[in-house]
Amino acid sequence: MRQFTPKTLFFCALCFISGTVVYSQEQLPPAANYTTQLHRPSIEIGAGVLSYFGDVGHLNGTTQYSQLNWGYNITMRNPVSEAFSLDFNAFFGKIRHQENLPGQMINFESAVKMGSASISYNFNDILPKQRNINPYLSVGFGTMEFNPKTDLKDADGNYYHLWSNGSLMSLPEKDGKSDEATTIYRDYNYESDWRELQGGSGAFPLRTLVIPVAAGASINVNDKWNVNLGASYMFAFSDNLDGINAETAGVSGVNKANDALLYSSLGIAYNLHHTVKKNTKLHENNDDYFPGIDLDDEDGDGVVDAGDECPLTPEGVVVDKLGCPIDTDGDGIADHIDEEINSDAGVPVSLVGVALTDEDLMKMYLIYSDPSGNPHYLKSQTYTDSIDKLKNTSRKKGYRIEVIDSENLSPEEIARLLSVPDIKAIETLEGMDFYIDNVDSKYEAVQKFLKLNQLNIPARILQPDGEGYFELSASEIEHAAIFNDEENSDAIVFRVQLGAFKYKLSRNVFKDVRDLIVLQGNDGLTRYVSGSYSNIQEAAEHKVNLLLKGYEGAFVTAYQNGKRITLKEAGATVDKSEDITPQASGKINPNLIKYSVKLGTFAGRVPAETLGKYMSLGNVRPIRNTEGETTYVYGSFNSMDDAEKGLSELRTNGFTDAQMVGEFNGKIISAREAQTMRGDN
């Protein structure tokens, strides 16, 4: 088989580079060209020139004749992500070639059929989204059928004999009867089967495996049609596409390498769209309906955009007549995201529809109320409703022990707090508050209070009265203390420390961490601690979960009698000694931290005009926070420089309020915080 020549290599490289160069011009096409970049398949029909690389033409003959071969293809491309697609290809073509040897003419014709599947990469994850030219690379695997024939005789059945003067004669040149030979002419009818000439059907199979490697570019005409230019080199696992192999009798100089084909094509592709039935029922009883009204249905929920109060509903979600997702229990959370679809009527719920516990309501009350009980500015109606319902619930049944002084703690004071197994923390407008709540009896509350005093942690006991809390007097505490037994002070508490940072991180970074305690020490370190366990196995399991979420600096700590102890002292088997002196630690997986451009934040429904502008950009995503607000962001960048370019481009195109932000695990953080966490400073 013929190997790649410089000419062939140059052609393939030129095909790919030309597409990339044009692509890099970063043209900004009209919005219609990229507003609907959905993951939908496309069907391509193409045709092109088929080049053959094999034995014929390389047998050291005197003359070879290259013929123009044609092929055509039908391809279905199925996107599986922004950058990759799974392609299925059917190819049909015919190859011919001829070479003249001394006294002999070698030629063949073979129809080829190939079916293959391949993976394509379109650079969409590293190149600008707004473009008309899309380069691609692909590699696949398939099978090819072929059936090589040769033209040995003319129309009258005379065999061809090639004489030294280049003539085709009816007899050999050195035959004794050569003077009786007459000139004959080729009929180009490939009547003889190469396989039969070599011994029949057992000579070689007519099917082979093939690896197609392709490169090219797709040109966007509009949102439905593309023009594709490409070249595919097909590596066959057979040396018999031309019928010639190392065992072929009468042919010398045969290369033992396999044959190959190069298909250079031009195709046109159609992007498949789903068809939405017009919702005429919406207008059956509407006298003002006109047939010419716009009946587009962008989200395909059966409610036209003009009457859809909830645009861009996810595919497959059941909606009401206004186009909004069904909410069976009426808790304000649509069924498709409601994790508790039959919540009791009137019970406040979280953003995933789960009924809020007393502890959840207490956290909300503390965050959004001042010490006198007057609510501050509330960021969403969810919190307003929750506090109104808070006053009418019977949740204030347990005693509460609050730590009085919790600011600028020393490392020793921090160790005392963390050695208390049921201590909790909540961030208020004034800072961090530490407490123990839901204590059933006064005597148990006093016991825990005395334990805190024993550890030199100043505290107070709050008793519920139905409307709020009042502080238990010293005499009541003294009276209740008589009946208390000494609490076990030798218990070991295991926790997982996410890190001790020299800078304070926003709460958004740790939204997916349960039982988080934030301790700001007087040593300049802010510690982030999660969980409270009586055995190291549970703590280790929690640590693994945090590592998987990207908190790569998480490690297990142990506390006893108000002091931090080593894991070895706690009874754990460790490979090396543990340093428990206060020091900066903590690392977050930088691969989970990205930069984005924030377009806007909305507490309710987004104006249709604004949403349309956002969607016209492509690569715009909504991110919902726990306060019921939705932020729309553009792009996902690995560097601040790329994000700044995207921000500049957006502002140039009229999005003057756009801002650069960071993202970690699907949560919005500040760009400066992302830069610090990634170590891009």
Side-chain angles (χ1 to χ4, degrees), residues 419 421 488-494 533-535 557-561 565-566 569-571:
S419 67
N488 179 18
S489 60
D490 294 329
I492 298 174
V493 178
F494 294 95
Y533 304 96
S534 59
N535 63 77
T557 57
Y559 302 88
Q560 185 181 39
N561 292 327
I565 61 175
T566 65
E569 291 173 328

Side-chain angles (χ1 to χ4, degrees), residues 93-126:
K94 183 174 289 187
I95 51 177
R96 301 184 187 89
H97 208 69
Q98 175 184 336
E99 182 175 5
N100 292 342
L101 303 178
Q104 184 181 11
M105 179 177 61
I106 301 295
N107 59 67
F108 83 96
E109 176 187 83
S110 180
V112 292
K113 302 175 183 178
M114 183 187 73
S116 65
S118 60
I119 292 291
S120 293
Y121 174 62
N122 61 15
F123 302 89
N124 201 37
D125 55 341
I126 59 176

Side-chain angles (χ1 to χ4, degrees), residues 21-176:
V21 170
V22 177
Y23 180 98
S24 66
Q25 294 176 359
E26 299 185 21
Q27 299 175 351
L28 295 177
N33 286 344
Y34 53 86
T35 56
T36 56
Q37 295 180 1
L38 305 177
H39 286 178
R40 59 181 179 232
S42 64
I43 294 180
E44 174 193 339
I45 297 177
V49 177
L50 186 60
S51 301
Y52 149 80
F53 300 95
D55 298 302
V56 179
H58 300 276
L59 300 173
N60 301 319
T62 56
T63 308
Q64 60 174 313
Y65 299 91
S66 297
Q67 301 186 41
L68 190 59
N69 303 309
W70 294 94
Y72 61 95
N73 66 283
I74 301 175
T75 301
M76 174 173 281
R77 291 188 169 86
N78 301 273
V80 295
S81 70
E82 286 292 326
F84 290 92
S85 67
L86 177 61
D87 304 340
F88 298 97
N89 182 69
F91 169 80
F92 307 89
K94 183 174 289 187
I95 51 177
R96 301 184 187 89
H97 208 69
Q98 175 184 336
E99 182 175 5
N100 292 342
L101 303 178
Q104 184 181 11
M105 179 177 61
I106 301 295
N107 59 67
F108 83 96
E109 176 187 83
S110 180
V112 292
K113 302 175 183 178
M114 183 187 73
S116 65
S118 60
I119 292 291
S120 293
Y121 174 62
N122 61 15
F123 302 89
N124 201 37
D125 55 341
I126 59 176
L127 292 175
K129 300 297 184 292
Q130 300 177 358
R131 61 186 185 274
N132 274 334
I133 309 297
N134 304 276
Y136 68 86
L137 294 173
S138 74
V139 62
F141 192 77
T143 62
M144 177 183 290
E145 293 183 359
F146 57 95
N147 191 10
K149 307 287 186 178
T150 182
D151 181 14
L152 299 180
K153 297 180 289 185
D154 66 5
D156 297 324
N158 299 310
Y159 282 92
Y160 303 124
H161 297 280
L162 182 65
W163 285 24
S164 57
N165 61 3
S167 301
L168 285 179
M169 307 299 289
S170 60
L171 296 173
E173 184 175 9
K174 297 182 180 180
D175 193 314

Side-chain angles (χ1 to χ4, degrees), residues 174-186:
K174 297 182 180 180
D175 193 314
K177 299 180 180 180
S178 59
D179 56 343
E180 300 177 7
T182 60
T183 302
I184 59 177
Y185 300 92
R186 280 196 64 186

